[in-house]
Structures are given as structure tokens and as C-alpha cells.
Amino acid sequence: MNIGTTKYNVREANQNEFEEIGELMVNVYSQLEGFPNKNEQPNYYSMLTNIGNLTKNPKTKLLVAVSPNGKIGGSVVYFGDMKYYGSGGTATKEKGAAGFRLLAVDVNTRGNGLGRLLTEACIEIAKDENQNQIIIHSTKAMQIAWKMYENIGFKRSEDLDFKQGELPVFGFRLML
């Protein structure tokens, strides 16, 4: 994907990038208006900080959008096996499904399509794995992402909704 004169590519993250990606995720999520802060959900932010640990699970990939000069513009975690998805609600029991979570785009690269690029990479992996559907969750604090997901074809799936503490979390699915 070209952003200005810079082309971003999506690939799996290297282990030596895990710390930088964790910092990016903490930075992005801690700035979302209406989203719980580090003091309210310390375990969530600990997971973000240590995001590379999720790749120890089978069929779990940490993807990054990288510029030609190696700058990470965004990241997302793809789950080819929903039992490792790690959300509340019923999503982890879905069969024939993949999912992605923790999509984060650096504030300096927002508005240039990196979120969509990462989302489409997850969809392609799910198709390559012959998954029937892809499941995601979002919150009211992520309304910009909601619109993008709906434009791609994701549909709200209330059966996947749950509460993370006091925070309502909303499920979406895309049939493949």
C-alpha cells in the first residue's frame, strides 16, 4: 500500500520487534477516549506490553505494517484457532473461524489506510486457511474502526457481545 510516497508491506513481526510493537499498542490504546486506562485494566495493558507472548500459541501471528525504511506503522494479532483468541463471551468456542484483535495504528500514520491493510491481510490468511468466517470485537471508543470494518463487509453479531469489566465489547463477523 502506498502512503504518500511510502509503500507499506504487511508481514509477520520479528521477535526483536515485539517490544516496540507492545509500546505502540499501549500508546494507541491508552489514548482512546472512553477506553479503560492502565490503572483500570492493568492486566490488559500488561498483555499489550508483552504482545509477542501471544505468538507462542498455535496459528497465532503478530502482523506488522512496515515502511521500506523499517518503520512500523501498525500491528494486529491474527488467531487461526479461536480457542487462543482470549476474549470474553462465546467467540473462543466458534469452529471454522479465525479472528483478529488488538489492531493498532501509530498516531503518526493514521488516516492512510494501514488499519484496512492489516485487516485485509488477516482476511487473506483466513481464506488461505480455508476458514468459514473471521470474528472481531470492538468498543464504542473505536468508532472509526467500526466504519472501516462495516465497509469491508463485517456485520454486527450480538451473539458475540460481552462485557470486559464495565466496558461493553461488540462482536462482528465476516463470512468468507
Side-chain angles (χ1 to χ4, degrees), residues 12-80:
E12 280 192 63
N14 298 316
Q15 194 167 1
N16 65 348
E17 296 169 321
F18 289 175
E19 185 177 339
E20 178 184 351
I21 296 163
E23 290 171 7
L24 168 72
M25 289 193 172
V26 167
N27 184 42
V28 168
Y29 281 88
S30 65
Q31 291 183 39
L32 287 173
E33 189 175 327
F35 196 77
N37 64 39
K38 294 177 194 177
N39 294 328
E40 293 168 320
Q41 294 209 1
N43 292 340
Y44 187 82
Y45 283 93
S46 176
M47 177 198 50
L48 293 176
T49 299
N50 300 295
I51 197 70
N53 289 344
L54 294 176
T55 63
K56 294 175 183 173
N57 295 321
K59 296 180 77 176
T60 302
K61 302 175 187 305
L62 180 57
L63 303 177
V64 287
V66 183
S67 70
N69 67 0
K71 174 80 173 113
I72 295 173
S75 186
V76 67
V77 182
Y78 171 85
F79 299 88

Side-chain angles (χ1 to χ4, degrees), residues 2 43 60 69 81 91 96 100 115 128:
N2 289 318
N43 292 340
T60 302
N69 67 0
D81 185 337
F100 66 85
D128 289 346

Side-chain angles (χ1 to χ4, degrees), residues 82 85 91 94 97-100 133-137 160 172-173:
M82 289 302 289
Y85 184 71
E94 292 284 331
F100 66 85
Q133 61 180 322
I134 192 161
I135 292 171
I136 60 171
H137 285 90
L160 298 170
F172 294 78
R173 71 175 86 229

